[in-house]
Structures are given as C-alpha cells and as structure tokens.
Amino acid sequence: MRTLTVCNFVTVDGRYEDDDHDIASFFEHQHPDYAGADTFDHYTTGLLRDAGTLVLSGRRSALGNLGYWTGVTQDPGASPIRHEFAELILGVEKLVVSDTITEADLEPYENVRIVRVAQAREAIRALKEGEGAGILILLGRRLWNDLMHAGLVDELHLVTFPLIAGSGVPLFDARPPVALKLLGTHSWDSSGNVLMRWRVDPVAPVDASRPT
C-alpha cells in the first residue's frame, strides 16, 4: 500500500491563497529578516525526491506549475534547489485531475496522464493499492479536501509561513471526518516557517440518532 501525502503552505490565519487566487499579496508584509529564505523549496524538494507519483489538479494550477517549472530549468539565475525541484517535477510520474485539460495541453510534458474529476477518487485509490514509492499532492486544495472526506489521505504536512492574509481562500472547505495525530514538528530560523506533520486517520461518522 502506497502512502498519500499532502503538503501545503498556509498563512498564520489559515489561508491558502488570496481573493485573486494568488499568494504574492501575502508577502507584502513579510518580515525583512526572512527575505530570500528558501526552506520551503528544500522541504518540498525532499518530499518530491521520495515520491513515485505527483498529483496535480485544476487547469490553472496544473498547467501553470508545469509551465513555470519548465521555465526554471532554463533560468541561469534560479537557485540550485529550484533547478532540482524543476527537474524532479518534470520527470516524475504525474497524474493531473481536470475536466478541461486535454492531451494537446500536455504534449510538452512527459510522464503525465489525465483523470477526470469524477474518477479522481477511484484513480487515487488504485494508485494507493499499487506498489512503488509514495504519492504526493502539492497545492490542489479542492482535490485533497475531497480525498480527505473519502479517507484517502495518509499524511498532512502543513508549513505555516509567518504571514497574515486577513482574507482569502481558507485551507479547508469543511470539517472532514478524520482525526489528526501529530507525527512531528520542525521550525526554520532563517524563514520563520513552522512545519506540523499529521497522520490522518478516518473516523466513523457520528450517528446522531444513537442514544448516549
């Protein structure tokens, strides 16, 4: 059985992105001591090194990321860790969950296949039941929220950045039927980032009609 790990950045007040579906505005009030810190790049690169499959979702997010990291491979000014991440994300087996992405959209990229949204749970379950290295989801908030409700997420890695959004898109859509057990924490002085690693255990739904 393969492990499905979700990793996401989140602000102190629990936001995934701003109202314009971007994160650039979050960094307007970043502490100057943390400028240029790349600890999150190092952490996600480590996760990707150990992954056998990367799951991306949504047309804008998936194609945007693939296009962006393709550009990084050709950027001499990019840091070594970002070059490594770019090579890994383009080389790893990828599953893209989308109802609008076509094979033509993905022609520039290797090792990628499309799964439609309605088949996402079934496809992820089949991946988990196979053999190989772990499955990783970076970003893809709507997808992994749904997968948590289906009991398919094994670990949730949340890296809190020292940023306050004030508004924007919350990390969770609703409360999934899961219990979290802390696996470990880590903090980085150079960035102010704090990692919490949680094991995600499905719980039985509460029967409101059952007497207590």
Side-chain angles (χ1 to χ4, degrees), residues 85-171:
F85 186 89
E87 295 292 344
L88 288 170
I89 198 172
L90 295 174
V92 72
E93 176 188 67
K94 291 172 286 293
L95 185 73
V96 173
V97 179
S98 171
D99 284 340
T100 62
I101 289 177
T102 66
E103 296 290 347
D105 292 323
L106 298 175
E107 279 184 1
Y109 311 109
E110 299 179 350
N111 299 329
V112 57
R113 66 185 177 95
I114 304 168
V115 169
R116 300 311 179 193
V117 172
Q119 284 76 51
R121 289 185 178 188
E122 179 182 348
I124 295 296
R125 187 173 287 108
L127 281 177
K128 285 171 59 69
E129 292 173 352
E131 297 182 356
I135 305 162
L136 177 64
I137 298 180
L138 301 174
L139 305 174
R141 181 189 68 90
R142 288 184 178 177
L143 173 64
W144 64 256
N145 266 260
D146 179 69
L147 296 178
M148 288 187 75
H149 281 272
L152 293 171
V153 174
D154 299 295
E155 292 189 15
L156 179 62
H157 297 200
L158 297 182
V159 180
T160 301
F161 279 36
L163 305 169
I164 300 172
S167 65
V169 179
L171 192 65

Side-chain angles (χ1 to χ4, degrees), residues 3-145:
T3 297
L4 174 59
T5 298
V6 169
C7 179
N8 249 126
F9 137 86
V10 63
T11 65
V12 170
D13 52 343
R15 301 297 174 170
Y16 172 83
E17 58 189 6
D18 66 19
D19 293 321
D20 295 321
H21 302 290
D22 200 352
I23 64 170
S25 66
F26 293 164
F27 291 86
E28 292 172 355
H29 292 176
Q30 184 184 37
H31 197 284
D33 287 354
Y34 301 142
D38 61 358
T39 57
F40 190 63
D41 290 339
H42 282 270
Y43 186 70
T44 52
T45 299
L47 292 176
L48 194 50
R49 285 189 202 114
D50 294 336
T53 304
L54 175 67
V55 181
L56 301 170
S57 65
R59 182 181 184 86
R60 179 179 59 85
S61 179
L63 295 182
N65 270 281
L66 291 173
Y68 174 81
W69 291 107
T70 297
V72 169
T73 63
Q74 308 300 320
D75 181 4
S79 66
I81 194 65
R82 290 177 73 79
H83 272 292
E84 181 182 357
F85 186 89
E87 295 292 344
L88 288 170
I89 198 172
L90 295 174
V92 72
E93 176 188 67
K94 291 172 286 293
L95 185 73
V96 173
V97 179
S98 171
D99 284 340
T100 62
I101 289 177
T102 66
E103 296 290 347
D105 292 323
L106 298 175
E107 279 184 1
Y109 311 109
E110 299 179 350
N111 299 329
V112 57
R113 66 185 177 95
I114 304 168
V115 169
R116 300 311 179 193
V117 172
Q119 284 76 51
R121 289 185 178 188
E122 179 182 348
I124 295 296
R125 187 173 287 108
L127 281 177
K128 285 171 59 69
E129 292 173 352
E131 297 182 356
I135 305 162
L136 177 64
I137 298 180
L138 301 174
L139 305 174
R141 181 189 68 90
R142 288 184 178 177
L143 173 64
W144 64 256
N145 266 260

